[in-house]
Amino acid sequence: MIVFFASPRTVEAAVKLKQEHPEAIYAAGTTDIAVELYHETLKANGLIDLSRIAELDGFDPQRHIVGALTTFSQLLRADGESPELLLLKKMAQNVAAVQVRNRGTIGGNIANANPAADSLPVLSVLNTSALVTTPEGAQTMPLEKFLRLRGQGDTSTLLTALRYEPLPEGAGTAFIKIGRRTSLAIARINACASLSGQDGVITDARLSLGAVSKVTGRFANTERYLKGAPLCEDTFVQAGVVARREAGSFIGGRASAQYKLSVIEDLVPELFRQCRRNMEGLK
Amino acid sequence: MKNDEIRIDAWEKVTGRAVYTDDLELPGMLYVKEVHCPYPHARIEEIDTSAASRMPGVRLILTAADLPESPAPLEKPVLAGPEVLCAEEAVALVAADTERHAADAAKAVRVTYTQLDSVCSIEEALAPGAVQVHAGGNIACTCILEKGSMDAFAECAYIVEQEFATQRMHHGAVEPDCVVTVPEGDGFVVLAGSKGPFNVQKEVAAFLHMPEEHIRVRHMTIGGGFGGRMVDTVSIAARAGVVTMKTGCPCKLLWTREETLTEGSKRHPFRMTVRLGADAAGTIIAASLTGYADAGAYLSHTKGVVFRAMAESLGPYHIDNCYVNIQGVYTHCVQSDAVRGFGTPQVGFAMERAMDMLAKKAGLSPYQIRMNNIIRDGDIMASGQTAEQVGIEACGKELAARFDLSKPVSRTEGTKAFGWGLAFLMRGESHGALSKGNDLCGIDLDILEDRKIQLSSSVSEVGQGAYTAEAITLAGLLQMPRDCVVVRGADTRFTPRCTTTSGSRGTISGVNGVWLAYLAMIDGLKNAAAKYWRMGPAEVRYRNGRFYKDGGRASLSFWEAADLCAAEGSPLHFEGRWVAPQTNWDWDKHTGSPYYSYSYGTAAAQVEVDLISGRVNIMDLLVINDLGRIINRQEADAQIAGGIMMSAGFALTEETAMDQGIIRSKNLDKYIMQMANDLTHIRPAAAEFVPAANPMGVHGVGELSASIAAPALANAVSNALGVQMTQLPMTLEQVRSAIDKRKGGAG
């Protein structure tokens, strides 16, 4: 039961409160944790409300930094035409519905460590780092490391911002979400890819699929297969087979596994087809 | 008659002035929460309420031992015990001063169970030696229809036979179930939105062993019905009512969303085999549908659902040799009950899918085979009833005019497959032969001092626009402005008796009741005018709000005539009592007239199937429904649109997921209903082709559309993929599995 509530104004104060109240949890848009607390699937005795901490706010596309409190609606309103931003916007457009996009934050989406979180595949493809603060101070860590910490039950590391890397020059990108309906759908699979090439050869390929493993990360084997391969349909189709095999190694025996593996084999070629069309579009 | 009007309750709803049951807060009110059993079949060994009873604000805790014995052992008891027959049944009630206190204390009630063996599917329940849900076996009911002989299959050039399955489904009303009970006299008042206030009164009285007159039910503004709001309302009204009787306090029982999705009743899952046989020309000679409906743990309206399914199984077609046999089967699953369409959606899906399969085999287009076999006036229907005022041919022709049947039924482009599909449907109206003549509706009219006519309606306004239809009808008949009509909803103490607003009978019963009351009122006022003019009432004419004599040389307004009527001491109260025409069923010979009239409709769906995800995108969904006469076009089209939405959910996403009797889709994140942005390309088309066989010539509009979109979509998806879809819902996984099958076939 929630018996403690505080609205600190600084990151430092928030971290201190967390030290004093280890059973309390950080709260941002609360679109996930309010439901989890209601269902008692999340145990906490207090809420540390982050919404009044100005330094967590703000999205700077030039510096590639997204404040943890940035809502999906704010992402959608951001100015700019960079491929990274367009990818973030495409992802944000696919999050839940407008009400949730208005409240839900990108920080919360990540900190909640739900494998189906829509932002994860995109941030993964953008080689995103997590800027965090702990009682020991501020530090930067790979996003995947932060997700693993959260998965291990660590609630004391406060995510303050995300810093993503620019994509290789001329890269084509794609984001596809598979859900059961148009909006307010939890992803069965969400997927992001980028592709760069020169003289008919793939120079860089990135692939991340969400909702297929506990921690959303990159498909290293598939990327390895693609890099240096001919930039053509056959390669994409074969990448689907490789990705299916790669996913099969960690997807486990869930009831949905058969469905997801079948889909991955066809989805991955489609992602790279879309990436290639984007590349050509840029030219 | 002006027939395109905004609903009379639109403004109060959009401005938030409408009072729903949960809006009621009364002094001294207690809040009631239930303790639910987590097992599908269990014996209660002990209920320890000691800790809960000491918790703050707790006033009363009740278990089955505190209640009178259930009068009907096959029906769901108010509280289960000592044996629990399905998961989520309530086994105890906690009443406290706040909802939170009641909920906290309910969690503190300790129940010790011994789990018992259970049967959680039709197959398990029918297996030899299966555990019996009720003494007497697991067959809840059997409905058989026979016409001609099944030997006729021997003469058929083409035969198809296929098994089909449909799923358990939830009503999906926005408003969770809620009742408030208030002490009154020797009993209590139930305030609740329901589809049958008089049935709630009768059944709550029976469960609590109270005289019926001690229970009064007042109909409240309701946030949707969709076939529900009857058995669940009775359950929670009896629970709140017993607390009111024991404490003397008003009580509120509001289900959470989870409780509506778990304990709340559901649509019957069906397992069916359809066999169709046609001659070389594609004329259907023989047809059969046999199967089972999962009743869940209690009887409820299973017989009504199975009977309807039986009567409508073989569609709007003229077939000489027919056999239908459907049995309701008890399982240790949540109680099945009426969900909008009740029986029609299940058999409609199976029969219309089989029709497409037969068309393919006979080398006919899906349209041709249907039009070749449709039923016409004078034909003998499968039930043995003579068809009259049949609208299916007109609906079929309209379909061809509004949907391009010449385009290829299937094509593939890249990662998308496209297909279209059709469905024709016939639906029996009102309660039918099972109601044994108990198909009534009363409308009272009272002329008020302020020159308004109060229309007291016993038809439940469940969101379908019944009150608006009745007000439009009366204003139209009187040729007076609609705002002189005020509608008062059902109150079992004051409004005339009426059977449940179900089976798409609201409009038929309501507007014909209005017509009868209108005739009585005009007669009464004509008499008063005639006396004033010293002539016979037959010489008085009524037109455009005035009574005339001598070809129009003198006249009285409606209100002046009412004043004369009052002055002579005649009551300004007039009654219309609609009694449905007779229906019958011979349970030995398996034939009869199951419904007094039928509504007809056709549908066409165009879909795009994503060959990667299996997602079905509805590109066009046309539903034509012959309503005979449209009372309010806006509402008629809106009803059809809503029906399409529900039927599309049945086809694609909605399923109460079960795991050994335990419901897994406990909230709307897992129970996936269609949203407006999933259905941006629907074309609801209310039509006036053939007047219905009642004085106002109207058909019901509620349920045909809620049944017909699913088979059209299933046919479209089957055509798009070239794989027969035989099971609903066509989830991503189902469709993807069909895609894999198609790939395998191609490879």
Side-chain angles (χ1 to χ4, degrees), chain B residues 418-732:
Chain B
F418 300 85
W420 59 260
L422 308 180
F424 282 28
L425 221 62
M426 163 191 95
R427 192 164 195 286
E429 298 190 288
S430 206
H431 292 159
L434 269 193
S435 69
K436 300 188 181 81
N438 186 22
D439 195 333
L440 319 165
C441 172
I443 297 284
D444 284 356
L445 301 177
D446 290 276
I447 301 174
L448 308 180
E449 289 284 326
D450 61 351
R451 306 213 149 176
K452 292 266 168 59
I453 304 165
Q454 176 177 279
L455 189 163
S456 299
S457 175
S458 289
V459 174
S460 285
E461 173 61 74
V462 289
Q464 81 280 47
Y467 294 168
T468 307
E470 289 158 14
I472 288 175
T473 301
L474 182 60
L477 289 166
L478 287 169
Q479 295 158 297
M480 283 164 52
R482 196 188 75 179
D483 58 13
C484 72
V485 181
V486 289
V487 181
R488 188 176 73 162
D491 179 333
T492 57
R493 183 147 297 170
F494 300 111
T495 46
R497 295 193 80 75
C498 182
T499 33
T500 58
T501 302
S502 57
S504 302
R505 70 184 285 276
T507 306
I508 302 172
S509 312
V511 305
N512 282 298
V514 168
W515 175 72
L516 291 165
Y518 156 82
L519 292 181
M521 181 166 69
I522 291 300
D523 270 359
L525 299 193
K526 268 185 183 172
N527 279 332
K531 272 188 194 164
Y532 174 72
W533 282 322
R534 298 173 194 282
M535 54 176 36
E539 294 171 64
V540 180
R541 294 278 173 268
Y542 178 76
R543 188 161 47 85
N544 286 337
R546 296 193 78 81
F547 292 90
Y548 293 91
K549 71 163 187 170
D550 298 341
R553 271 186 290 134
S555 72
L556 288 167
S557 76
F558 177 90
W559 307 111
E560 287 165 340
D563 289 342
L564 289 172
C565 196
E568 69 182 34
S570 300
L572 294 177
H573 174 84
F574 308 95
E575 298 181 347
R577 296 291 177 265
W578 167 255
V579 182
Q582 279 298 310
T583 50
N584 62 77
W585 189 253
D586 186 325
W587 290 91
D588 296 319
K589 293 181 179 152
H590 310 137
T591 181
S593 298
Y595 296 95
Y596 63 79
S597 75
Y598 296 83
S599 68
Y600 297 89
T602 53
Q606 168 76 54
V607 299
E608 172 199 83
V609 183
D610 181 50
L611 294 171
I612 297 170
S613 64
R615 175 94 187 271
V616 176
N617 176 25
I618 299 172
M619 301 175 74
D620 183 21
L621 186 42
L622 167 69
V623 171
I624 296 158
N625 191 180
D626 182 13
L627 303 183
R629 175 181 191 172
I630 295 169
I631 302 292
N632 188 5
R633 179 165 286 283
Q634 273 190 28
E635 193 62 43
D637 281 337
Q639 277 288 302
I640 295 171
I644 292 173
M645 200 154 187
M646 205 161 170
S647 191
F650 184 51
L652 299 175
T653 51
E654 292 189 46
E655 179 171 26
T656 299
M658 305 280 285
D659 182 4
Q660 280 303 301
I662 312 288
I663 292 175
R664 297 298 180 203
S665 44
K666 289 181 194 288
N667 210 322
L668 297 176
D669 57 338
K670 296 218 164 58
Y671 186 85
I672 308 293
M673 297 172 70
Q674 296 286 294
M675 293 173 56
N677 59 1
D678 296 308
L679 296 162
T680 48
H681 294 88
I682 59 171
R683 289 191 283 156
E688 293 180 309
F689 294 135
V690 182
N694 57 64
M696 291 296 292
V698 293
H699 282 295
V701 60
E703 294 176 295
L704 188 132
S705 59
S707 312
I708 199 169
L713 286 166
N715 284 335
V717 172
S718 300
N719 287 335
L721 297 178
V723 177
Q724 302 302 338
M725 303 303 291
T726 59
Q727 197 177 325
L728 295 184
M730 296 180 290
T731 57
L732 300 178

Side-chain angles (χ1 to χ4, degrees), chain B residues 357-379:
Chain B
M357 293 169 69
L358 184 67
K360 199 168 181 192
K361 206 156 192 176
L364 293 169
S365 77
Y367 182 72
Q368 232 174 337
I369 195 159
R370 287 176 171 84
M371 289 303 278
N372 286 358
N373 287 285
I374 50 172
I375 199 148
R376 293 186 164 80
D377 282 3
D379 284 345

Side-chain angles (χ1 to χ4, degrees), chain A residues 1 38-40 178-184 186 188 259 262-263 266-267 270 273, chain B residues 107 256 258 415 611-613 615 653 668 672-673 675 677-678 732-733 736 740 743:
Chain A
M1 195 155 105
Y38 168 71
H39 284 303
E40 298 177 351
I178 295 172
R180 296 195 186 277
R181 63 182 163 203
T182 309
S183 54
L184 281 178
I186 296 165
R188 298 298 288 150
Y259 168 76
S262 267
V263 169
D266 291 337
L267 176 65
E270 180 61 18
R273 271 180 221 123
Chain B
K107 281 182 203 156
T256 60
E258 289 84 354
T415 58
L611 294 171
I612 297 170
S613 64
R615 175 94 187 271
T653 51
L668 297 176
I672 308 293
M673 297 172 70
M675 293 173 56
N677 59 1
D678 296 308
L732 300 178
E733 291 80 359
R736 178 67 216 200
D740 289 340
K743 274 186 172 177

